[in-house]
Amino acid sequence: LTVEGRKASRREVQVGVSRETMLAIGDQLRTIFRQDLYSTPARQYGSVYEFFAALVGGILDDPERRPYRQDTIITFNYDLVLEEALRRVGAVVDYHLPFTEVLDESGPMSERIVSVLKLHGSTNWGICGKCKQHTIKLPQKITDNPVQIRSMRCPKCAEGIFQPLLVPPSWDKSEYRDVVGSVWKQAAEDLQAATRICIIGYSMPQPDTFFESLLTLGLSENHQLYTLIAVS
């Protein structure tokens, strides 16, 4: 797949594919790319976010190879940009976090399930501010609907008010082990099983040694890794 980039606005970069590429795998790309009538030679452009989501969601894979491939996203980002892009291309996100309550109005299940492991939490995850045990998942940011959140009380302690479940980027994350430990465990297991690892835009800051330890743990037991790419 050959693509080119162009800046559509201050906030969005688009990628383009040739007419030949569209004809070759048009069914997978038709919902993502739109024809640019003014480009020469003729090309079709789409959001770089949706292109990435389609890539990790397996939409651009060879259908015969798709059942044998699985991508995992391990991220420290709190935002929902990736999840929204995955939703637009028809993929379902698996956070690998056993929420005690889900208030997410998800659509129909899809065969395209993408593991998104958010090691520092997410803006659509909530936790009881008092007992620190009851967790909820919303379709949008916790702060987008403060009235609803303030009206909810934790069913476990009946007193706590929910707050965003965000883990600070510090060296000591032991306070959150019981809550997001399953996400960290899944990340270590996926690193151990990976054949290719691509690190994008992460500089491994000195105060946060967590990822360094996680990567070391994963690679020490990985015997099939053949590619490691770091993109600054």
Side-chain angles (χ1 to χ4, degrees), residues 40-140:
T40 305
R43 303 188 74 76
Q44 298 195 212
Y45 289 88
S47 165
V48 68
Y49 297 113
E50 292 182 6
F51 176 78
F52 179 76
L55 196 64
V56 298
I59 297 173
L60 304 183
D61 258 347
D62 182 334
E64 294 183 359
R65 298 183 180 183
R66 188 179 301 158
Y68 310 102
R69 294 177 175 177
Q70 180 66 49
D71 286 327
T72 295
I73 307 298
I74 300 176
T75 178
F76 291 107
N77 289 347
Y78 303 130
D79 61 62
L80 304 178
V81 174
L82 175 60
E83 290 95 313
E84 291 168 357
L86 286 167
R87 213 170 276 125
R88 288 196 297 268
V89 300
V92 173
V93 171
D94 185 355
Y95 288 125
H96 292 273
L97 186 68
F99 295 100
T100 48
E101 189 172 356
V102 176
L103 305 177
D104 192 347
E105 299 174 359
S106 300
M109 289 299 293
S110 168
E111 63 178 12
R112 304 186 186 101
I113 300 176
V114 180
S115 294
V116 179
L117 307 178
K118 308 185 84 168
L119 306 184
H120 281 176
S122 182
T123 55
N124 65 323
W125 300 358
I127 187 170
C128 173
K130 183 175 178 64
C131 69
K132 304 290 185 181
Q133 294 184 30
H134 194 81
T135 56
I136 61 174
K137 178 168 76 83
L138 274 68
Q140 73 284 336

